[in-house]
């Protein structure tokens, strides 16, 4: 509902519900060996479950997209930092741009209305995804999932 209230462009390519995700690190196309090293690095991360706070529906005109902007938390930043350190140690290249927590709702957007929100999305696991391009937008396949430790959230 929030996405529909923000996206005023009828031709926007909305992200399918099953494809919603927050990219913690982008590694792009990698060799089988690099994927195995990335999996090993991720396997060594031990963090607790937490809630992702999504605070604002934003229109990014330059990127022609609408996303839900996330709030930085110690738990989220720690998870990203641990993954970065593990990938560096494993010598797997990744996009080193500063982490900007967000969940993309639509692409190819020419107009949208921004709005505040207060959504809590439980983070119970993190996943290595493969992007598979399709005519209707990319589809994501899970390569491997790692659960976050259960603690009081």
């Amino acid at each position: 509902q929030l996405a529909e209230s923000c996206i005023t462009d009828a031709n926007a390519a909305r992200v399918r519900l099953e494809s919603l995700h927050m990219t913690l690190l982008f590694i792009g196309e990698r060799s089988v060996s690099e994927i195995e090293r990335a999996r090993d690095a991720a396997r060594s991360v031990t963090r607790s479950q937490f809630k992702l706070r999504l605070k604002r529906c934003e229109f990014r005109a330059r990127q022609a997209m609408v996303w839900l902007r996330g709030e930085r938390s110690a738990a989220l930043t720690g998870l990203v930092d641990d993954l970065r350190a593990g990938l560096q140690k494993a010598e797997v290249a990744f996009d080193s741009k500063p982490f900007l927590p967000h969940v993309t709702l639509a692409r190819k957007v020419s107009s949208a209305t921004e709005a505040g929100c207060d959504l809590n999305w439980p983070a119970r696991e993190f996943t290595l995804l493969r992007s598979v391009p399709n005519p209707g937008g990319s589809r994501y396949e899970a390569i491997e999932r790692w659960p976050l430790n259960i603690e009081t959230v």
Side-chain angles (χ1 to χ4, degrees), residues 108-127:
K108 301 178 185 170
V109 181
S110 61
S111 64
T113 303
E114 296 193 1
C117 64
D118 191 12
L119 303 173
N120 289 303
W121 189 3
R124 296 184 183 109
E125 65 182 9
F126 62 100
T127 307

Side-chain angles (χ1 to χ4, degrees), residues 15-22 103-104 129 137-140:
V15 175
R16 291 183 297 265
L17 185 61
E18 64 273 11
S19 293
L20 292 175
H21 66 280
M22 180 177 285
V103 176
T104 301
L129 297 174
S138 292
R139 182 174 49 82
Y140 299 97

Side-chain angles (χ1 to χ4, degrees), residues 22 24 47-53 73 75-76 79 120-126 146-151 153:
M22 180 177 285
L24 303 176
R47 287 282 170 168
S48 297
Q49 294 182 10
F50 59 96
K51 291 197 185 207
L52 295 166
R53 294 203 60 207
S73 68
L76 178 57
L79 176 58
N120 289 303
W121 189 3
R124 296 184 183 109
E125 65 182 9
F126 62 100
W146 298 275
L148 295 170
N149 297 325
I150 297 172
E151 287 187 10
V153 178

Side-chain angles (χ1 to χ4, degrees), residues 1 4 13 22 59-60 66 86 110 114 121 129 131 134 139:
Q1 286 180 330
E4 292 309 312
M22 180 177 285
F59 175 46
R60 307 292 288 198
V66 170
S110 61
E114 296 193 1
W121 189 3
L129 297 174
S131 177
N134 281 329
R139 182 174 49 82

Side-chain angles (χ1 to χ4, degrees), residues 12 26 49 95 128:
F26 180 76
Q49 294 182 10
D95 185 344
L128 178 59

Side-chain angles (χ1 to χ4, degrees), residues 32-105:
V32 172
S33 170
E34 288 172 307
I35 294 295
E36 284 307 311
R37 293 196 315 268
R39 291 169 87 168
D40 289 343
R43 213 172 277 125
S44 70
V45 172
T46 55
R47 287 282 170 168
S48 297
Q49 294 182 10
F50 59 96
K51 291 197 185 207
L52 295 166
R53 294 203 60 207
L54 303 170
K55 300 295 289 175
R56 185 158 186 76
C57 186
E58 296 180 345
F59 175 46
R60 307 292 288 198
R62 187 169 163 214
Q63 294 95 349
M65 63 192 329
V66 170
W67 68 26
L68 288 176
R69 179 68 181 268
E71 188 175 82
R72 289 181 194 271
S73 68
L76 178 57
T77 302
L79 176 58
V80 171
D81 290 347
D82 287 357
L83 288 168
R84 282 178 183 259
L87 291 175
Q88 284 175 334
K89 185 176 177 185
E91 298 181 351
V92 177
F94 57 89
D95 185 344
S96 61
K97 283 187 267 190
F99 175 62
L100 180 63
H102 69 277
V103 176
T104 301
L105 299 177

